[in-house]
Amino acid sequence: MQHYILLLDCPDQKGLVYNITRVLYQHDLNIVSNNEFVDLERQHFFMRTEVEGNINETNLLADLYAALPKQVKLVLTQEHKKKIVVLATKEYHCLGDLLLRNHFDNLNAEILAVISNHNNLADLVTQFKIPFHYLPHENILRDTHEKQVLDLINRYNPDFLVLAKYMRILSPYFVSHFREQMINIHHSFLPAFIGANPYKQAFERGVKIIGATAHFVTNNLDEGPIIAQATIPVDHTHNAASMAQAGRDVETLVLAKALKLVFEDRVFISQNKTVIFD
Amino acid sequence: MQHYILLLDCPDQKGLVYNITRVLYQHDLNIVSNNEFVDLERQHFFMRTEVEGNINETNLLADLYAALPKQVKLVLTQEHKKKIVVLATKEYHCLGDLLLRNHFDNLNAEILAVISNHNNLADLVTQFKIPFHYLPHENILRDTHEKQVLDLINRYNPDFLVLAKYMRILSPYFVSHFREQMINIHHSFLPAFIGANPYKQAFERGVKIIGATAHFVTNNLDEGPIIAQATIPVDHTHNAASMAQAGRDVETLVLAKALKLVFEDRVFISQNKTVIFD
Amino acid sequence: MQHYILLLDCPDQKGLVYNITRVLYQHDLNIVSNNEFVDLERQHFFMRTEVEGNINETNLLADLYAALPKQVKLVLTQEHKKKIVVLATKEYHCLGDLLLRNHFDNLNAEILAVISNHNNLADLVTQFKIPFHYLPHENILRDTHEKQVLDLINRYNPDFLVLAKYMRILSPYFVSHFREQMINIHHSFLPAFIGANPYKQAFERGVKIIGATAHFVTNNLDEGPIIAQATIPVDHTHNAASMAQAGRDVETLVLAKALKLVFEDRVFISQNKTVIFD
Amino acid sequence: MQHYILLLDCPDQKGLVYNITRVLYQHDLNIVSNNEFVDLERQHFFMRTEVEGNINETNLLADLYAALPKQVKLVLTQEHKKKIVVLATKEYHCLGDLLLRNHFDNLNAEILAVISNHNNLADLVTQFKIPFHYLPHENILRDTHEKQVLDLINRYNPDFLVLAKYMRILSPYFVSHFREQMINIHHSFLPAFIGANPYKQAFERGVKIIGATAHFVTNNLDEGPIIAQATIPVDHTHNAASMAQAGRDVETLVLAKALKLVFEDRVFISQNKTVIFD
């Protein structure tokens, strides 16, 4: 007995669920779980279904395509570990958490390699038997450095790229290589405090909450589709440094939560937003 | 164009979603939203579907019953305001919140009457033009008082009974009249602090969180199916009284949230638990 | 035995706590609670102390002034109900909550009157026996309307002005009359979504949290010192309208929490921030 | 310039703060932060003060003892890394988090060693260059095993013992060796779900929140003074296993938060509760 995940989105029309479940029934499959959403504004339909049974992938896909509108985006996949490359800079907390989850098989992904523009995390990564690549950005052109990073990533051919506090801005050229494949953790509750030094901005504004946002990366800095966000309370006793310290835990958790959702195929990108079946 | 909610639960079997959506398709109905859950432990299926179209209730129900297992529990309903009676004792916060929401048409329910064993909330209720009934419990037998309450409720024939800090224990006889129709707010995060004086218990235990639980009432005190729960932080500066004060807001919110879910037909009772599609 | 609250802030210097507590000791007063904070960046000292005993206000103040730096800001007050005027527009939820708390003596304030530029909340307010003033803004100049509001408020001479979803922008002239006395609830987690229609902005950005901010009003719109903030989760099933609906409860709670802090004399304004002893 | 933390608690009496700050002033010390609490029920006073200056420890302590009631409990300490031994069983999440924080100097403690009754975490611990001791409990008497653990701990002479999901019940004899020095993380929001398998209990009760509790260990199982607690929402789609999975993150965070508070000398034990200055 096989277990498959079916992901599809298409323009909404009457009979979609019926047509899909009819095909599944004809293939003698059992629906284990099923989530749907109709975006009424876009008139667009999203569905994630887990099915069990003896599956003939080719025939099932052919029958589904025949039953659905032409513009459908359809993915049939077995649960599998996504292959990822992690980019980091100097901070250990998000990276360390991912390494731990990866090591104990709790990430639904396999970390192929870690790349950093600093060297201080090398020991941490290599002690987990993960390749660590130190690509310093100093004394070379920004484009040259990015090209080195890109070439190195391409050697690994990952499903997803995770920016675990990678503090370099990426060019549109770079971003275009990983459309809908690159997840960043930003250290504020976006859209507040876009850009550099969010904790300094937060301290200066005197906010009573700080937060973190995990999002897909697009060409608009800090404006890609949001996957997960959370906040924690702070007060007047916090300065920018202690806010940053307090923020580490929420950054770590929000990134881990977002990755779990993405790696379990629960996240659809819908224009500049996400539809998430959790 | 009509808008209906279809609620059903039955033993799980292959083809359920297909069979249901087939009938809906044959009746030319559009599925606006659809939620399903299979309880793998009980092998039981739950579904809540909102449909739009020209509905012939009798025919639709007949076709659905024909397509589904015999043991199915099936409800087809249009969105409508539930009729409720509220029981209270002395505290104003939950009752006041319900009166406000009711008054501004934000409760998905209509409060038919409020009954209390004390008189101090009479002015509040009547100023909202809701009948208030004062049924004191003093100097009469417990059973006699309960019989008075029951008779009065029955005159209103409500869909649901809401215990908004009603501090009287109800007999199995009373409870049996309102199976799956009676919702209580308990002032602790159950199963912690069952019974009387939860805040005093919480203070004495030195907990760092307090909370509230909204649940259906069964014969086992504080042990009915839980609908909603939430907690808030407290610290060593709180005594039992200030915990009770701080707890008011979370009690109010948890009850309001639970009622919203119940009144929108989003809550299934599954043995001693709930399945909630929110 | 009297109970007093002593509030003071001044430039930080060695021996402040000693000098203050020495005076309190010489006056034979017992310290019931004591909070201090040194803003290291500003080198500024804040203190809130509750004392009990037989207090000679004049002598105590004289001795405290003698013991403290010249620039000290000193308030000695007995716990008392603050007098407030509430401004509202059309929405009932914050106002209704304040009326309930006021009615059941749970606000530490006395609502003197409610003023609105719409009439739909008149019944609600008057049924609580609070004066309601309808001052429509239509067909008159903005300045004229504001002058009417200002004159009316001045007749009540309140300690604080509460903007409970008052949807009019106030002029610097108006604001200057209520420096550090005017509290607003903004329906977003500031500084995100400054300005109009925060829920629409939130929906369009696809955020996964929404929130509310209570702050003192200054001449910079939505940029005054923040008193309290909170957030709640939302998801792709929310549109702008259902976000606004979900946001009501967090707006209500955040405003109530901020007012409780202010009315209990727990909030210091420190430039564009607050120092809060809760 | 030195930085010291002064911790004291004693029966409450008039003039305590004055007497303490007088001594500090006479020693020409600057108060950087100061927290006090009077437990009115116990009539007991707690104070935590951070001071800076040139400190003569012996003289300062002598003067403080002279100024304070006989029953005072007084600690004068410089901020320093606490020395800890961690006990674990099989689960990696709390232990892994502590190892990461320890490695990056973010724990305010130094992990001297990890002891486990299982061997599966050996690699993780040793890769962080921390001694790992495998003391299996199988095929030996409970008392013999505990004696081995105790002897091994005593060789390290730690300030605190951290039970990071150590799944063995400890005898009163063992507990008596580490009074107020042993911190446990329990995987429920105590007092709910005391004892074994809290997530199974939670699943069977159908709760909508789960949580974690960090507490000092006493002879009464799961009943020691609580340091920190938190909860997270769950729903009907969780079974006991997925609750346990979801609970890992909150367990990890609650333990880390409690340890930070304890290691920064912010936690007083007051009978069966804690007083925490955070």
Side-chain angles (χ1 to χ4, degrees):
Chain A
M1 188 129 97
Q2 294 156 306
H3 187 103
Y4 272 79
I5 299 167
L6 176 67
L7 305 167
L8 66 87
D9 69 90
C10 60
D12 190 32
Q13 62 181 51
K14 206 176 283 184
L16 280 174
V17 184
Y18 160 63
N19 278 307
I20 296 157
T21 55
R22 178 178 50 77
V23 172
L24 299 178
Y25 185 69
Q26 286 163 350
H27 279 254
D28 200 27
L29 302 177
N30 192 35
I31 295 176
V32 179
S33 87
N34 189 24
N35 290 99
E36 296 144 36
F37 174 64
V38 178
D39 182 332
L40 295 171
E41 204 183 39
R42 288 185 60 199
Q43 283 296 318
H44 203 84
F45 175 82
F46 300 86
M47 184 166 172
R48 180 190 187 276
T49 306
E50 296 187 33
V51 292
E52 283 182 348
N54 290 310
I55 291 178
N56 180 319
E57 276 194 49
T58 317
N59 290 357
L60 178 58
L61 279 172
D63 289 352
L64 284 167
Y65 275 116
L68 289 165
K70 276 210 174 129
Q71 313 93 313
V72 73
K73 199 172 146 192
L74 186 61
V75 175
L76 183 67
T77 177
Q78 285 186 286
E79 250 185 300
H80 65 285
K81 281 194 183 185
K82 306 299 185 285
K83 293 181 189 310
I84 66 172
V85 167
V86 181
L87 302 194
T89 293
K90 278 183 181 173
E91 289 174 274
Y92 80 91
H93 53 287
C94 289
L95 176 62
D97 180 68
L98 297 183
L99 290 167
L100 274 176
R101 291 177 198 261
N102 182 69
H103 187 72
F104 289 95
D105 204 7
N106 188 22
L107 187 60
N108 222 355
E110 181 191 350
I111 300 179
L112 303 175
V114 175
I115 301 171
S116 177
N117 55 326
H118 285 269
N119 207 15
N120 66 311
L121 299 169
D123 287 353
L124 175 70
V125 175
T126 50
Q127 78 182 25
F128 279 103
K129 317 272 186 288
I130 306 286
F132 178 87
H133 300 279
Y134 172 38
L135 291 182
H137 64 278
E138 279 153 352
N139 304 319
I140 54 172
L141 289 174
R142 168 173 291 276
D143 283 1
T144 312
H145 179 257
E146 198 180 83
K147 181 72 166 53
Q148 291 173 357
V149 174
L150 185 56
D151 288 348
L152 185 51
I153 293 167
N154 283 335
R155 279 171 36 201
Y156 285 102
N157 192 28
D159 298 313
F160 290 97
L161 216 56
V162 176
L163 309 186
K165 304 285 291 178
Y166 184 62
M167 305 310 275
R168 308 273 303 163
I169 292 174
L170 298 164
S171 74
Y173 177 78
F174 187 100
V175 171
S176 71
H177 280 71
F178 303 102
R179 276 195 71 234
E180 310 200 345
Q181 290 180 281
M182 190 158 40
I183 296 140
N184 182 47
I185 180 73
H186 182 81
H187 38 314
S188 85
F189 48 104
L190 289 174
F193 309 129
I194 282 177
N197 280 329
Y199 291 119
K200 187 159 174 294
Q201 293 180 57
F203 170 66
E204 281 165 6
R205 180 59 188 91
V207 291
K208 301 298 185 187
I209 50 171
I210 57 172
T213 304
H215 61 95
F216 287 104
V217 179
T218 62
N219 285 326
N220 300 316
L221 183 64
D222 302 336
E223 298 197 355
I226 293 173
I227 308 165
Q229 297 188 283
T231 55
I232 53 169
V234 289
D235 63 27
H236 60 271
T237 66
H238 287 84
N239 58 25
S242 62
M243 278 187 188
Q245 166 110 2
R248 280 180 194 163
D249 290 337
V250 71
E251 293 169 21
T252 303
L253 271 189
V254 166
L255 180 59
K257 182 184 170 189
L259 293 182
K260 180 178 162 67
L261 293 167
V262 171
F263 296 164
E264 291 180 5
D265 297 304
R266 298 182 178 279
V267 181
F268 290 80
I269 295 179
S270 171
Q271 295 176 336
N272 203 46
K273 302 181 188 179
T274 57
V275 170
I276 300 180
F277 296 129
D278 59 352
Chain B
M1 187 126 98
Q2 297 156 305
H3 188 103
Y4 272 79
I5 299 168
L6 176 68
L7 305 167
L8 67 86
D9 70 89
C10 60
D12 190 33
Q13 63 180 51
K14 208 176 283 186
L16 281 173
V17 184
Y18 160 63
N19 278 308
I20 297 158
T21 56
R22 178 177 51 76
V23 172
L24 300 177
Y25 185 70
Q26 287 163 351
H27 281 253
D28 200 29
L29 302 176
N30 193 33
I31 295 176
V32 179
S33 87
N34 189 23
N35 289 100
E36 296 144 37
F37 173 64
V38 178
D39 181 332
L40 294 173
E41 204 184 38
R42 286 185 61 198
Q43 283 296 319
H44 203 85
F45 175 83
F46 301 85
M47 185 165 171
R48 180 189 188 277
T49 305
E50 295 188 35
V51 293
E52 284 182 347
N54 290 309
I55 290 179
N56 179 318
E57 275 194 50
T58 317
N59 289 356
L60 179 57
L61 279 172
D63 289 351
L64 283 168
Y65 275 116
L68 288 166
K70 277 208 175 130
Q71 313 92 315
V72 75
K73 199 173 146 190
L74 186 61
V75 175
L76 183 67
T77 177
Q78 284 187 289
E79 250 184 299
H80 64 286
K81 281 194 185 186
K82 306 300 184 285
K83 293 180 191 309
I84 66 173
V85 167
V86 181
L87 302 195
T89 292
K90 278 184 183 173
E91 291 175 274
Y92 80 92
H93 54 287
C94 289
L95 175 63
D97 179 69
L98 298 183
L99 290 168
L100 274 175
R101 293 178 197 260
N102 181 70
H103 187 73
F104 289 96
D105 204 7
N106 188 21
L107 186 63
N108 223 355
E110 182 192 348
I111 300 179
L112 304 176
V114 174
I115 302 170
S116 176
N117 54 325
H118 285 268
N119 208 15
N120 66 310
L121 300 168
D123 286 354
L124 176 69
V125 175
T126 51
Q127 78 182 30
F128 279 104
K129 318 271 187 285
I130 306 286
F132 178 86
H133 300 280
Y134 171 39
L135 292 182
H137 64 279
E138 277 151 353
N139 303 321
I140 53 172
L141 289 176
R142 167 173 292 275
D143 283 1
T144 311
H145 179 257
E146 198 180 84
K147 181 73 167 49
Q148 293 173 355
V149 175
L150 185 56
D151 288 348
L152 184 51
I153 294 167
N154 283 335
R155 279 171 35 202
Y156 286 101
N157 192 26
D159 297 314
F160 290 97
L161 215 55
V162 176
L163 309 186
K165 305 284 292 177
Y166 184 61
M167 306 310 274
R168 307 273 304 164
I169 292 175
L170 299 164
S171 73
Y173 177 78
F174 187 101
V175 171
S176 70
H177 280 71
F178 303 101
R179 275 197 71 235
E180 309 201 346
Q181 290 180 281
M182 188 159 41
I183 295 140
N184 182 47
I185 180 71
H186 182 81
H187 39 315
S188 85
F189 48 104
L190 289 174
F193 309 129
I194 283 177
N197 281 327
Y199 291 119
K200 187 159 174 290
Q201 294 180 55
F203 170 66
E204 281 166 5
R205 180 61 187 92
V207 291
K208 300 299 184 185
I209 50 172
I210 57 172
T213 304
H215 61 96
F216 287 105
V217 178
T218 62
N219 285 326
N220 300 315
L221 182 66
D222 300 338
E223 298 198 353
I226 293 172
I227 307 165
Q229 297 188 283
T231 55
I232 54 168
V234 290
D235 63 26
H236 61 271
T237 66
H238 288 83
N239 57 25
S242 62
M243 279 187 187
Q245 166 111 1
R248 281 181 195 162
D249 290 336
V250 72
E251 292 168 22
T252 303
L253 272 188
V254 165
L255 179 59
K257 182 184 170 190
L259 293 181
K260 182 177 160 67
L261 292 167
V262 170
F263 296 163
E264 291 180 5
D265 297 303
R266 298 181 178 280
V267 180
F268 289 81
I269 294 180
S270 170
Q271 294 176 336
N272 203 47
K273 302 180 187 179
T274 57
V275 169
I276 301 179
F277 296 127
D278 59 353
Chain C
M1 187 128 96
Q2 297 155 305
H3 187 104
Y4 272 80
I5 300 168
L6 176 67
L7 305 167
L8 67 87
D9 71 89
C10 61
D12 191 33
Q13 63 181 51
K14 207 176 283 182
L16 281 173
V17 183
Y18 160 63
N19 278 307
I20 296 157
T21 55
R22 178 177 50 78
V23 172
L24 299 177
Y25 184 71
Q26 287 163 350
H27 280 253
D28 200 29
L29 302 176
N30 193 35
I31 296 176
V32 178
S33 87
N34 189 24
N35 290 100
E36 297 144 38
F37 173 63
V38 179
D39 182 332
L40 294 172
E41 206 184 37
R42 287 185 62 198
Q43 284 296 319
H44 203 85
F45 175 83
F46 300 86
M47 184 165 171
R48 180 189 189 276
T49 305
E50 296 187 33
V51 292
E52 283 181 347
N54 290 310
I55 290 178
N56 180 318
E57 276 195 48
T58 316
N59 290 355
L60 178 58
L61 280 171
D63 290 350
L64 283 168
Y65 275 117
L68 289 166
K70 277 209 175 130
Q71 312 94 315
V72 73
K73 199 172 144 191
L74 186 61
V75 176
L76 182 68
T77 177
Q78 283 187 289
E79 251 184 300
H80 64 286
K81 282 193 184 186
K82 305 300 184 284
K83 293 182 190 305
I84 66 172
V85 167
V86 181
L87 302 194
T89 292
K90 277 183 183 173
E91 290 174 273
Y92 79 92
H93 53 288
C94 289
L95 176 61
D97 180 68
L98 297 183
L99 289 167
L100 275 175
R101 291 178 199 260
N102 181 70
H103 187 73
F104 289 96
D105 203 8
N106 188 22
L107 186 63
N108 222 357
E110 182 191 348
I111 300 180
L112 304 176
V114 175
I115 302 170
S116 176
N117 54 327
H118 286 268
N119 208 14
N120 66 311
L121 299 169
D123 287 352
L124 175 70
V125 174
T126 51
Q127 79 183 27
F128 280 103
K129 318 271 187 286
I130 306 286
F132 178 87
H133 300 279
Y134 171 39
L135 292 182
H137 63 278
E138 277 151 353
N139 305 321
I140 53 171
L141 289 175
R142 168 174 290 275
D143 283 359
T144 311
H145 179 257
E146 198 179 84
K147 181 73 168 51
Q148 293 174 355
V149 175
L150 185 57
D151 288 347
L152 185 51
I153 294 168
N154 283 334
R155 279 172 36 201
Y156 286 102
N157 191 27
D159 298 312
F160 290 97
L161 216 54
V162 176
L163 310 186
K165 306 285 290 177
Y166 185 61
M167 307 309 274
R168 307 274 302 164
I169 292 175
L170 299 164
S171 74
Y173 177 78
F174 188 99
V175 171
S176 71
H177 280 71
F178 303 102
R179 277 196 70 234
E180 311 201 344
Q181 290 181 280
M182 189 158 41
I183 295 139
N184 182 47
I185 180 73
H186 182 81
H187 38 316
S188 85
F189 48 104
L190 289 174
F193 309 129
I194 282 176
N197 281 329
Y199 292 120
K200 187 159 175 292
Q201 294 181 55
F203 170 65
E204 281 165 7
R205 180 60 188 92
V207 291
K208 300 298 184 186
I209 50 173
I210 57 172
T213 303
H215 62 94
F216 287 104
V217 178
T218 62
N219 285 325
N220 301 314
L221 184 66
D222 300 338
E223 298 198 352
I226 293 173
I227 308 165
Q229 297 188 283
T231 55
I232 53 168
V234 290
D235 63 27
H236 61 271
T237 65
H238 287 85
N239 57 25
S242 61
M243 278 187 189
Q245 165 111 2
R248 279 180 195 164
D249 289 336
V250 72
E251 293 168 23
T252 304
L253 271 189
V254 166
L255 180 59
K257 182 185 171 189
L259 293 181
K260 181 178 160 67
L261 293 167
V262 171
F263 296 163
E264 292 179 4
D265 297 304
R266 298 181 178 280
V267 181
F268 290 80
I269 295 180
S270 171
Q271 294 177 338
N272 203 46
K273 303 181 188 179
T274 57
V275 169
I276 299 180
F277 296 128
D278 60 352
Chain D
M1 187 128 100
Q2 296 156 307
H3 188 103
Y4 272 79
I5 299 169
L6 176 67
L7 305 167
L8 66 87
D9 71 88
C10 60
D12 190 32
Q13 63 181 52
K14 207 176 284 184
L16 281 173
V17 184
Y18 160 62
N19 279 308
I20 296 158
T21 56
R22 177 177 51 79
V23 173
L24 298 178
Y25 184 71
Q26 287 163 350
H27 280 253
D28 201 29
L29 302 177
N30 194 34
I31 295 176
V32 179
S33 87
N34 189 24
N35 290 100
E36 296 143 38
F37 173 64
V38 178
D39 181 332
L40 294 172
E41 205 184 38
R42 285 186 62 199
Q43 283 296 319
H44 203 84
F45 175 82
F46 301 86
M47 183 165 172
R48 180 191 187 275
T49 306
E50 296 188 33
V51 292
E52 282 181 349
N54 290 310
I55 290 178
N56 179 319
E57 275 194 49
T58 316
N59 291 356
L60 178 58
L61 280 172
D63 289 351
L64 283 167
Y65 275 116
L68 289 166
K70 277 212 174 126
Q71 312 92 317
V72 73
K73 199 172 146 190
L74 185 61
V75 176
L76 182 68
T77 177
Q78 285 187 288
E79 251 185 297
H80 65 284
K81 282 194 183 184
K82 305 300 185 283
K83 294 181 189 308
I84 66 172
V85 167
V86 181
L87 301 195
T89 292
K90 279 183 182 173
E91 290 174 274
Y92 80 92
H93 54 286
C94 289
L95 176 61
D97 180 68
L98 297 183
L99 290 167
L100 275 175
R101 290 177 199 260
N102 181 69
H103 187 72
F104 289 96
D105 204 6
N106 188 22
L107 187 62
N108 222 356
E110 182 192 348
I111 300 179
L112 304 176
V114 174
I115 302 170
S116 176
N117 55 326
H118 285 269
N119 207 15
N120 66 311
L121 299 169
D123 287 353
L124 175 70
V125 175
T126 51
Q127 80 183 26
F128 279 103
K129 316 274 187 287
I130 306 286
F132 179 87
H133 301 280
Y134 171 39
L135 291 183
H137 64 278
E138 278 153 351
N139 304 320
I140 53 171
L141 290 174
R142 169 172 291 275
D143 282 1
T144 311
H145 179 257
E146 196 179 86
K147 181 72 166 51
Q148 292 173 355
V149 175
L150 185 57
D151 289 347
L152 185 51
I153 293 167
N154 283 335
R155 279 171 36 201
Y156 286 102
N157 192 27
D159 297 314
F160 290 98
L161 216 55
V162 177
L163 309 187
K165 304 286 291 179
Y166 184 61
M167 306 308 274
R168 307 273 302 165
I169 292 175
L170 297 165
S171 73
Y173 177 78
F174 187 100
V175 171
S176 71
H177 279 71
F178 303 102
R179 277 195 70 235
E180 311 201 347
Q181 290 181 281
M182 189 158 41
I183 296 141
N184 182 49
I185 180 72
H186 182 81
H187 38 315
S188 86
F189 47 104
L190 289 173
F193 309 129
I194 283 178
N197 282 328
Y199 291 119
K200 186 158 175 292
Q201 293 181 54
F203 170 65
E204 281 166 5
R205 179 61 187 90
V207 290
K208 301 298 184 186
I209 50 171
I210 57 172
T213 304
H215 61 95
F216 287 103
V217 178
T218 62
N219 285 326
N220 301 314
L221 183 66
D222 300 338
E223 298 197 353
I226 293 172
I227 307 165
Q229 297 189 282
T231 55
I232 53 169
V234 291
D235 63 26
H236 61 270
T237 65
H238 287 84
N239 57 24
S242 62
M243 279 187 188
Q245 166 110 3
R248 280 181 195 163
D249 289 337
V250 73
E251 293 170 22
T252 303
L253 271 189
V254 166
L255 180 59
K257 182 184 171 191
L259 294 181
K260 181 178 161 66
L261 293 167
V262 170
F263 296 164
E264 292 179 4
D265 298 304
R266 297 180 178 280
V267 180
F268 289 80
I269 295 180
S270 172
Q271 294 176 339
N272 203 46
K273 302 180 186 179
T274 58
V275 170
I276 300 180
F277 296 128
D278 59 350

